[in-house]
Amino acid sequence: MTDILVVGGGPIGCYTAYLLARAGLSVDILEEHHRIGKPDHCTGIVGKNLFTDFDVPESLIHNRIKEFKVYSPSGIELLLPAHIEVFALDRPSLDLYLATLAQGAGARLHLETCAKNISEDSGVVTVTANQKDNKRKIKFCSKVAVLATGALSKLPYQAGLGRSPDSLGSVQVEAEVKDLNGAEIFLGRDIAPGSFAYAVGLDEHTAKIGVISRGRSRQCFENLLEHPRLKPRIIDILTEPQARRMPLGHAPSTVKGHILSVGDAAGQVKSTTGGGLYYGLKCATLLAETIIDSGGPQGFSKTRLAGYEKKWKRHFGKEIFWGKMVRDIFSDINDDQLERLVSLLNSSELKNIVNNTADYDSHQRLIIKVLSVPGMKSLLWDMARESLNHKNIMKRLGQHLRKDTEEID
Ligand SMILES: Cc1cc2nc3c(=O)[nH]c(=O)nc-3n(C[C@H](O)[C@H](O)[C@H](O)COP(=O)(O)OP(=O)(O)OC[C@H]3O[C@@H](n4cnc5c(N)ncnc54)[C@H](O)[C@@H]3O)c2cc1C
């Protein structure tokens, strides 16, 4: 029986496996695909912290993003200050790098191995898996199992942990482009209802182009490709469109007995942008520390393992809450309201707040400051007049703003 079974060979599963194997535990990783890092669904935008806080080398950076432009539905352009260091990294290479680290530390990687069932009995976790296109069934037993299966897997449900309460759809491709160096955000109900679409330059000639939307993601993606500000700069689409779900909000529970979840499987994602690499790697670190501290001659203590949930929520619970609040507030926004939002963001008052408060990986403070500006409040109340659902959100917002404003001041 192995000490730790990690299900999911994405970046968060591999990093967890690396930390645990490095501490001398026996670790197996199960990955359903035949290679690590593909298919690539992620834009790979990260802040400086990813390179300073974890074992991630800067050689994986494609491009430093020097400019952020936002286009309102009518085409009004807003240039956001880029004083924060933001990078586009080579996401498939990050996954490969972390998988190699894990293997170098002694973890065993099982490719083409898809976990189908998980259960725990008398302190032993059993996972049954199909290998090599269902040609072979195999059983793994471990003292602890880590579910790092991403946003879509049923395993966290089966284990009694549950999944994020909400999610958005996304479609992304890599394209050959010209004159696209920074990051550009496109707003509008035809392109990304309740969310945004984007084009991010990876180098002089290539970009990732995609939509994140509440519905109709494929249609929205087709509309994005026709956008007058984007279409003339697309030379060729280089990859098949990748469709994914992006979790909004964390799972109801992330520990049950000796089974724990981490990364997208736990909903440890910034609901504002959908970025999950920094939160996921930080939670992987907290998870590995907890597992290592809970081990002893009697095996791994369930009471100590349960402490993982408190630890990661202390770091990210409020962040995820406020990100989800922003998503709820703006999920029904129409194009006129988006125009108002963009011109508010263009005002010197809001530009000052963004300049003084923005942090790439931590948004709670910025959100609270921005939502407290009178012009923003008046926009939100106008939105609330049009929808009962929005009135309820505004009630919740008022309660939490009062409480958390004191905390950040
Ligand atoms: C369109 C889009 C753009 C994004 N852009 C960014 C960005 O710019 N910056 C950022 O920080 N984040 C971004 N993210 C989020 C980021 O991609 C995720 O947070 C990150 O991939 C989470 O890593 P993970 O290891 O938890 O999950 P995943 O990367 O999804 O990896 C899970 C792995 O588990 C495997 N697996 C699943 N089920 C099983 C099973 N039953 N058996 C065996 N293997 C299994 C999968 O094959 C996969 O390899 C984006 C997400 C989307 C959808």
Side-chain angles (χ1 to χ4, degrees):
M1 178 162 56
T2 191
D3 288 326
I4 317 288
L5 186 67
V6 176
V7 185
I12 312 307
C14 287
Y15 195 60
T16 310
Y18 159 64
L19 297 172
L20 293 168
R22 194 179 68 171
L25 298 171
S26 61
V27 182
D28 285 85
I29 310 169
L30 311 187
E31 169 53 49
E32 61 189 347
H33 289 106
H34 71 282
R35 59 182 168 162
I36 293 289
K38 295 282 180 172
D40 173 22
H41 64 272
C42 174
T43 322
I45 307 292
V46 296
K48 180 89 181 149
N49 290 347
L50 197 93
F51 305 97
T52 52
D53 294 6
F54 311 108
D55 304 274
V56 176
E58 293 192 4
S59 56
L60 296 177
I61 294 173
H62 265 308
N63 191 10
R64 165 147 189 227
I65 309 284
K66 297 205 183 79
E67 200 175 74
F68 279 90
K69 263 186 208 159
V70 178
Y71 297 107
S72 78
S74 70
I76 291 173
E77 198 176 306
L78 164 70
L79 196 60
L80 290 178
H83 60 283
I84 308 172
E85 287 193 285
V86 179
F87 306 91
L89 64 66
D90 179 345
R91 171 60 202 265
S93 298
L94 171 74
D95 291 24
L96 264 178
Y97 176 80
L98 295 174
T100 309
L101 268 190
Q103 286 177 289
R108 287 175 296 266
L109 174 61
H110 306 263
L111 293 173
E112 287 185 88
T113 305
C114 180
K116 291 291 183 188
N117 288 295
I118 183 164
S119 59
E120 176 170 357
D121 192 17
S122 312
V124 177
V125 183
T126 305
V127 167
T128 52
N130 287 355
Q131 266 188 329
K132 316 264 176 208
D133 285 335
N134 299 334
K135 286 194 192 100
R136 202 161 63 202
K137 284 204 185 321
I138 187 162
K139 193 159 96 175
F140 293 87
C141 292
S142 64
K143 296 176 189 161
V144 173
V146 173
L147 299 181
T149 43
L152 286 178
S153 164
K154 293 192 180 101
L155 286 191
Y157 269 128
Q158 243 188 48
L161 302 175
R163 272 195 322 218
S164 296
D166 195 4
S167 64
L168 295 172
S170 73
V171 175
Q172 180 181 276
V173 292
E174 202 166 308
E176 186 184 348
V177 292
K178 57 179 181 185
D179 306 327
L180 207 161
N181 300 315
E184 302 188 12
I185 309 289
F186 301 84
L187 301 174
R189 283 199 80 83
D190 278 354
I191 296 170
S195 187
F196 61 87
Y198 55 88
V200 175
L202 301 181
D203 56 40
E204 236 178 283
H205 306 291
T206 44
K208 285 188 171 172
I209 296 177
V211 299
I212 299 167
S213 78
R214 217 157 241 295
R216 304 184 290 116
S217 308
R218 292 265 171 188
Q219 182 57 53
C220 289
F221 178 69
E222 296 301 324
N223 297 345
L224 173 66
L225 296 184
E226 293 299 316
H227 194 287
R229 296 285 195 137
L230 188 59
K231 189 176 176 180
R233 291 183 288 161
I234 300 176
I235 297 167
D236 196 9
I237 301 292
L238 302 173
T239 58
E240 285 295 312
Q242 288 299 322
R244 278 293 174 115
R245 298 301 299 177
M246 190 174 265
L248 286 184
H250 59 73
S253 177
T254 54
V255 190
K256 191 165 181 205
H258 292 88
I259 305 175
L260 305 95
S261 62
V262 68
D264 276 21
Q268 292 157 340
V269 171
K270 283 182 265 184
S271 306
T272 39
T273 60
L277 290 170
Y278 182 76
Y279 285 17
L281 291 178
K282 180 72 191 172
C283 291
T285 311
L286 298 169
L287 172 57
E289 275 168 21
T290 311
I291 293 177
I292 292 162
D293 288 348
S294 72
Q298 311 299 324
F300 293 89
S301 147
K302 278 202 276 190
T303 320
R304 288 200 172 192
L305 289 177
Y308 159 65
E309 185 149 314
K310 243 194 200 153
K311 282 189 199 165
W312 76 257
K313 281 190 175 165
R314 204 175 302 137
H315 284 264
F316 299 122
K318 279 275 173 72
E319 287 288 336
I320 293 174
F321 169 84
W322 278 104
K324 174 87 168 60
M325 177 68 90
V326 167
R327 285 287 180 181
D328 289 346
I329 289 172
F330 293 111
S331 69
D332 286 333
I333 194 164
N334 64 37
D335 283 357
D336 290 340
Q337 293 158 343
L338 274 170
E339 295 293 344
R340 259 175 85 184
L341 180 65
V342 171
S343 68
L344 266 170
L345 290 172
N346 234 341
S347 68
S348 53
E349 183 179 18
L350 274 175
K351 277 188 174 158
N352 276 340
I353 293 179
V354 173
N355 273 334
N356 295 327
T357 323
D359 176 305
Y360 191 73
D361 289 312
S362 163
H363 299 167
Q364 179 192 356
R365 205 176 148 75
L366 178 66
I367 292 169
I368 291 176
K369 294 257 178 215
V370 168
L371 293 181
S372 305
V373 166
M376 189 62 74
K377 280 189 176 161
S378 124
L379 167 65
L380 298 185
W381 277 113
D382 286 350
M383 289 169 66
R385 256 176 232 121
E386 290 175 21
S387 130
L388 179 63
N389 181 34
H390 209 274
K391 272 193 197 107
N392 294 332
I393 295 170
M394 286 299 287
K395 229 188 230 166
R396 254 190 328 129
L397 172 65
Q399 289 158 2
H400 288 281
L401 265 185
R402 269 191 297 281
K403 200 156 59 91
D404 287 0
T405 305
E406 285 166 21
E407 222 172 82
I408 64 157
D409 279 340

